Amino acid sequence: MENGGKPRDLEDRTFLFAESARGFVKQLPGTVSNTEDVRQLVRASGSVAANWIEADEALSKKDFLMRAKICRKEAKESRLFLRLIDAGLSKGDVTNRDLLATEARELALIFAAIISKSGRS
């Protein structure tokens, strides 16, 4: 791990994001809104990791860019659902939610930069 404890490799970083999201949701209150938001978060966070693997193995630049754009979109969706989740009264859960939302934002920015640089070359 580098840069403040974050893995440098995007495959590892996106995996850890999806894994952390799954660990986080296990602690949440089972409200009706959380049930739906958690479902969406689990899908979106896993999709970031899965689509990065697809991008990394892309057969063409067009395929790579499409997968990177999906990664960016799913990271943004993850952040949305994290922000919507009711973390209850536990300060620890609120802190974990905010840390995951920050990571989702950082991932979206990383993918935006990759897309921008790839589109120019």
Side-chain angles (χ1 to χ4, degrees):
M1 290 207 191
E2 298 176 21
N3 301 331
K6 292 181 183 161
R8 193 174 165 306
D9 180 81
L10 264 177
E11 186 172 335
D12 290 342
R13 188 166 174 179
T14 57
F15 170 81
L16 290 174
F17 173 66
E19 182 179 55
S20 296
R22 282 154 178 73
F24 167 70
V25 300
K26 291 177 183 176
Q27 314 302 317
L28 295 174
T31 64
V32 172
S33 62
N34 272 358
T35 299
E36 292 305 314
D37 293 338
V38 161
R39 210 174 267 148
Q40 292 288 342
L41 172 60
V42 168
R43 283 189 186 112
S45 65
S47 183
V48 173
N51 277 288
W52 182 249
I53 290 169
E54 291 283 333
D56 201 35
E57 298 293 324
L59 299 175
S60 68
K61 183 177 176 179
K62 183 178 176 181
D63 186 34
F64 174 83
L65 281 169
M66 181 189 72
R67 295 294 176 181
K69 287 177 182 179
I70 292 171
C71 289
R72 180 184 58 189
K73 176 182 78 78
E74 296 292 348
K76 287 180 176 181
E77 284 185 23
S78 294
R79 183 168 181 250
L80 168 71
F81 289 111
L82 281 160
R83 292 172 65 208
L84 288 172
I85 282 174
D86 173 15
L89 300 176
S90 165
K91 190 170 186 168
D93 286 343
V94 170
T95 300
N96 288 338
R97 179 194 62 197
D98 293 346
L99 288 171
L100 282 167
T102 297
E103 178 66 355
R105 182 178 179 277
E106 288 178 11
L107 286 169
L109 291 171
I110 289 167
F111 292 120
I114 288 169
I115 292 162
S116 177
K117 288 178 185 172
S118 296
R120 280 188 258 143
S121 41

